[in-house]
Amino acid sequence: MEHNYLNEILIIFAAAVGVVVLFLRLNLPAILGYLLVGVVMGPHGLALIADTEHTRAFAEFGVVFLLFTIGLEFSLPLLIRMKGAVLGLGGSQVLLTTSVTTLVGLYFGLPIESALVLGGVVAMSSTALVIRQLTQQVELHSRHGRNAVGILLFQDLAVIPFLILVATTTEATSEMPLAVISTALGEGLLALVLILALGRWVLRPLFRGIARLRSTELFTLTALMVALGAAGLTYQLGLSLALGAFLAGMMLGETEFRHQIEAEIRPFRDVLLGLFFITIGMLLNVQLLPTLWPGVLLLLAVLVVLKLVFVAGICRLAGDDSAIALRTGLILAHGGEFGFAILAVAFTGHLFSPEVNQTVLAALLISMGLAPLVIRSNNRLTSIMLPKGSVQSNKAIERQIATTAEGLRGHVIICGYGRVGQNVARFIEGEGVPYMAMDLDSVLVENAIKAKEPVSYGDAANLHLLEAAGLARATALVISLDDVESALKILHTVRLLNRDIPILVRTRDDSHLIRLQEAGATEVVPETLEASLILSSHLLLTLKVPMPMVYSMVSQIRKGRYTSLRHVFPGEEAVITTPRERDEQLRAIELPQDTRWKQRPIGELDFEDLGVTVTAIQRHNSRIANPSADTVLRTGDTLILFGTSSALEGAETVLLSKQTAVE
């Protein structure tokens, strides 16, 4: 019995793991790695992977699960809150890009259905790529970031009618285009009504019943059944699989199970979506590119240049300054995964000729290959392309911050005005201490300004903005952002201007405590360790421990920078995922009966040279905490050691070695 499928799967996985590891090390998106695997390993490359129907069928489920999770994240309150960016900017961008691309397609002789589908392919940008890159650059909540997210949200919604159109067009090319579109929309409406009814009367009670059984595998199985069942329902109606998955996700997104469902589906989505991108890469015939390059460059120009111009122009008309508008355009001037999804259905239905297929695919791949570099450099490119506008935009922000900080002296600068930053502001305001806050969330800043609070839009890692905020006159600075890399950037910038100002940093846990302290933080407050302190102090008070004693214990732990709270035993997840800088942990080692260390003092172990501390000795039913160097070891003692895993391994070797001790 042959196992061709197994061989191909092994080749795909091996190539994908190697290439994606390389791409992630180069700080490039994994999507590009998957596409490269398909191009190189596919039938038009090294021909190690066959382009089979079975592979494509599995890959299509990647798009199904992607649309399902998009539906989970979609909500009407979000749409209403961002209606300007979503409906105004997003609607205009998709309409303009689709219309112009359709006209270009008609000019080059494409049928109207094919030209319209091509317009939909070009109109899409990569949600995954943009969100990931903007998050890394701490630009997701900036003005240009929010513009981009709003437009992407509309694109995610717009892909549904395009998928309906391409699916029905490929099955009914003899009908008039208007009839095709009308039929598609009618069937889509029927699917929407059916799934809405199922969502209201079946899905919520179903998941509530499953949740009561407390079975993770049953919950996962049910989530998969719902996603694939809804996809199958729309497919039976002659529509795309992805449409049903999106609608089912949208229904479940309004329930209390949204986050758990997303967590259960994500592993399946990511693996199958990677396979989908590999199959897309397999479609590209690199041997034809030399003959198709004029068309590829033309379509690439339409995709990148026109998209850039349209997005920037729409944002400018919406009231953004020229620099913000251009940065938004640069971020979105590329193709996306939904463009590939539409294109894959068009390929299957032979909606385009082979030459057009290869031209469109090549243009999308090139644009996505350039996208991470363009998004990463959007600020620098804007400064080059629009020097006056960029300077004016930065100067306007700087003037606004300087106006907000005008007259302040001995104030506190708060970097990040989210929940933590606002609570800090309330406390110091109650004591009559003035403050000035900066944040990149434009909506949050707008709401704070309406309330007459001293808050300005701006990046606290910007040298000039910190000067405008009166850093030289400030008495302290608080970094309340839940992002370590942003905190490190701010610390480095502040210490260039002021070596002495106290800086307090909030962080989620102690994993980057040392890095933040070395970067110049006066105090680092890890949320998880503070939660342990607060919970423990409340417990001690409940147990009638005197308040002064509790306060003294808490003060000592804080003075020691939480060192004792970091002495913990690692769990399974920590062993797998913990990076080296937070590798310190506890380990228990029991001395054997024939130990060479019995009746010898701890000091002779010389663990200090290894960087290991003996935090306690468990002896029979008693525990000796923080034993001194003179404490004599006995057979059967269990030593609780603290240090890095490599240091602990060295200490364990010393303790368990049967070599006779040198007197």
Side-chain angles (χ1 to χ4, degrees), residues 21-229:
V21 165
L22 175 64
F23 270 59
L24 292 178
R25 285 189 175 275
L26 296 174
N27 203 24
L28 293 173
I31 291 174
L32 301 182
Y34 290 125
L35 291 170
L36 181 63
V37 169
V39 172
V40 175
M41 311 296 287
H44 304 298
L46 299 177
L48 296 176
I49 308 170
D51 185 12
T52 64
E53 290 296 324
H54 295 84
T55 306
R56 289 200 194 184
F58 274 114
E60 191 171 357
F61 286 123
V63 180
V64 168
F65 288 129
L66 176 62
L67 267 293
F68 182 70
T69 53
I70 290 290
L72 287 172
E73 295 168 1
F74 175 77
S75 68
L76 288 176
L78 176 63
L79 182 62
I80 293 169
R81 190 166 64 249
M82 298 182 65
K83 59 182 180 296
V86 177
L87 300 178
L89 300 181
S92 301
Q93 181 269 321
V94 171
L95 180 62
L96 277 173
T97 308
T98 303
S99 301
V100 172
T101 308
T102 301
L103 292 175
V104 172
L106 291 173
Y107 177 80
F108 283 96
L110 290 179
I112 186 170
E113 311 92 71
S114 301
L116 191 58
V117 170
L118 179 62
V121 171
V122 172
M124 299 296 133
S125 302
S126 176
T127 302
L129 224 163
V130 170
I131 297 297
R132 177 183 179 273
Q133 198 66 41
L134 289 182
T135 301
Q136 284 186 349
Q137 298 169 197
V138 202
E139 295 179 18
L140 193 61
H141 295 294
S142 63
R143 289 175 184 172
H144 56 280
R146 291 190 71 85
N147 286 346
V149 170
I151 294 172
L152 287 168
L153 183 56
F154 189 88
Q155 290 179 2
D156 292 346
L157 298 176
V159 74
I160 297 300
F162 280 117
L163 285 172
I164 294 173
L165 173 65
V166 70
T168 52
T169 300
T170 55
E171 295 176 2
T173 52
S174 62
E175 298 182 33
M176 294 296 290
L178 184 60
V180 171
I181 295 172
S182 301
T183 303
L185 292 177
E187 291 175 335
L189 183 62
L190 175 61
L192 177 62
V193 171
L194 283 174
I195 293 177
L196 281 173
L198 288 172
R200 182 174 181 81
W201 304 110
V202 178
L203 292 185
R204 189 187 292 264
L206 173 65
F207 274 94
R208 282 179 176 168
I210 295 297
R212 290 192 194 100
L213 297 176
R214 299 182 181 277
S215 171
T216 304
E217 59 193 275
L218 184 59
F219 191 93
T220 304
L221 188 62
T222 307
L224 291 171
M225 180 198 71
V226 168
L228 297 177

Side-chain angles (χ1 to χ4, degrees), residues 488-627:
L488 288 168
K489 285 170 60 178
I490 295 171
L491 281 167
H492 291 307
T493 305
V494 171
R495 287 309 180 204
L496 288 175
L497 295 173
N498 192 324
R499 302 294 303 177
D500 302 320
I501 186 171
I503 304 176
L504 283 75
V505 182
R506 164 256 186 134
T507 183
R508 185 168 296 278
D509 52 39
D510 62 323
S511 58
H512 301 280
L513 193 104
I514 296 174
R515 286 180 67 196
L516 292 166
Q517 289 170 349
E518 291 176 348
T522 310
E523 293 293 343
V524 180
V525 182
E527 292 178 359
T528 52
L529 302 188
E530 274 295 323
S532 302
L533 273 183
I534 299 300
L535 183 62
S536 300
S537 60
H538 279 292
L539 176 60
L540 291 172
L541 291 172
T542 302
L543 297 174
K544 309 301 183 184
V545 176
M547 173 70 81
M549 188 177 294
V550 174
Y551 177 78
S552 175
M553 292 169 62
V554 171
S555 298
Q556 287 297 320
I557 290 172
R558 286 178 177 148
K559 188 179 295 183
R561 297 199 167 184
Y562 308 97
T563 302
S564 61
L565 296 187
R566 293 161 60 197
H567 294 179
V568 294
F569 294 105
E572 179 181 3
E573 183 178 353
V575 170
I576 296 171
T577 63
T578 301
R580 295 297 298 177
E581 63 264 26
R582 58 173 299 189
D583 194 27
E584 292 182 318
Q585 56 190 248
L586 288 178
R587 183 177 300 181
I589 301 175
E590 182 177 353
L591 294 179
Q593 293 294 324
D594 57 348
T595 179
R596 65 189 179 98
W597 296 105
K598 61 183 177 181
Q599 304 304 320
R600 305 184 71 86
I602 289 178
E604 291 188 14
L605 293 171
D606 292 329
F607 279 171
E608 292 81 2
D609 296 338
L610 294 173
V612 172
T613 304
V614 181
T615 64
I617 297 176
Q618 189 69 37
R619 179 172 293 168
H620 303 298
N621 295 325
S622 63
R623 185 181 185 89
I624 306 171
N626 301 315

Side-chain angles (χ1 to χ4, degrees), residues 325-345:
L326 182 57
R327 293 182 74 174
T328 308
L330 287 168
I331 288 169
L332 295 175
H334 61 268
E337 56 269 8
F338 285 128
F340 286 126
I342 298 170
L343 196 59
V345 180

Side-chain angles (χ1 to χ4, degrees), residues 405-457:
E406 188 176 5
L408 292 179
R409 185 171 295 277
H411 59 294
V412 175
I413 298 176
I414 301 175
C415 305
Y417 202 61
R419 183 184 295 274
V420 175
Q422 291 177 46
N423 288 332
V424 170
R426 300 293 173 268
F427 273 100
I428 62 176
E429 193 175 37
E431 295 299 317
V433 178
Y435 73 92
M436 149 83 204
M438 283 189 285
D439 202 287
L440 283 171
D441 188 330
S442 54
V443 174
L444 186 155
V445 171
E446 183 181 346
N447 290 330
I449 290 174
K450 286 179 182 177
K452 309 298 183 185
E453 296 187 4
V455 182
S456 289
Y457 175 86

